[in-house]
Amino acid sequence: MLRISELDESLNTYTMSVYLIAQLGKNFSESGGTEITGAELLKLAWDKIKEIQYLGGNIVTFLEAENEEWLLSFYRGNRFSQFAARQTVSDTDESHELILL
């Protein structure tokens, strides 16, 4: 971890720059020959990240997902591995667990 991040000894945590895949989703109400699979959508994101990594560096990409087995299985099948989990914090909603991949 020290090769790609910085240790904050006071908090006993690491800080690093990463590429974040956020708000990846599909609109299932649209149809008519314009469908794209989740795997195709994720491949487009991966291809763009690889291009950016070549130009600017950085080696870590991550995303957060709801703790739903079908969703986690999809991401595991598309090159992601779980490395942590966290509870959301909100003043308006109940907290829930997000899985970091």
Side-chain angles (χ1 to χ4, degrees), residues 10-82:
S10 66
L11 297 174
N12 197 30
T13 61
Y14 290 92
T15 301
M16 72 175 73
S17 296
V18 300
Y19 296 108
L20 170 64
I21 297 177
Q23 300 299 317
L24 181 66
K26 292 176 51 175
N27 182 350
F28 289 99
S29 68
E30 297 292 325
S31 63
T34 59
E35 294 89 6
I36 185 171
T37 67
E40 290 169 323
L41 188 59
L42 193 53
K43 183 183 180 319
L44 290 170
W46 270 121
D47 290 346
K48 185 55 71 175
I49 288 168
K50 285 192 286 185
E51 180 183 335
I52 294 167
Q53 284 175 323
Y54 176 76
L55 294 171
N58 203 335
I59 62 171
V60 177
T61 301
F62 94 101
L63 60 82
E64 294 178 319
E66 298 288 332
N67 191 4
E68 298 285 340
E69 186 51 42
W70 67 270
L71 187 56
L72 298 176
S73 177
F74 168 75
Y75 286 124
R76 282 189 217 108
N78 284 279
R79 303 174 16 190
F80 283 92
S81 300
Q82 180 177 341

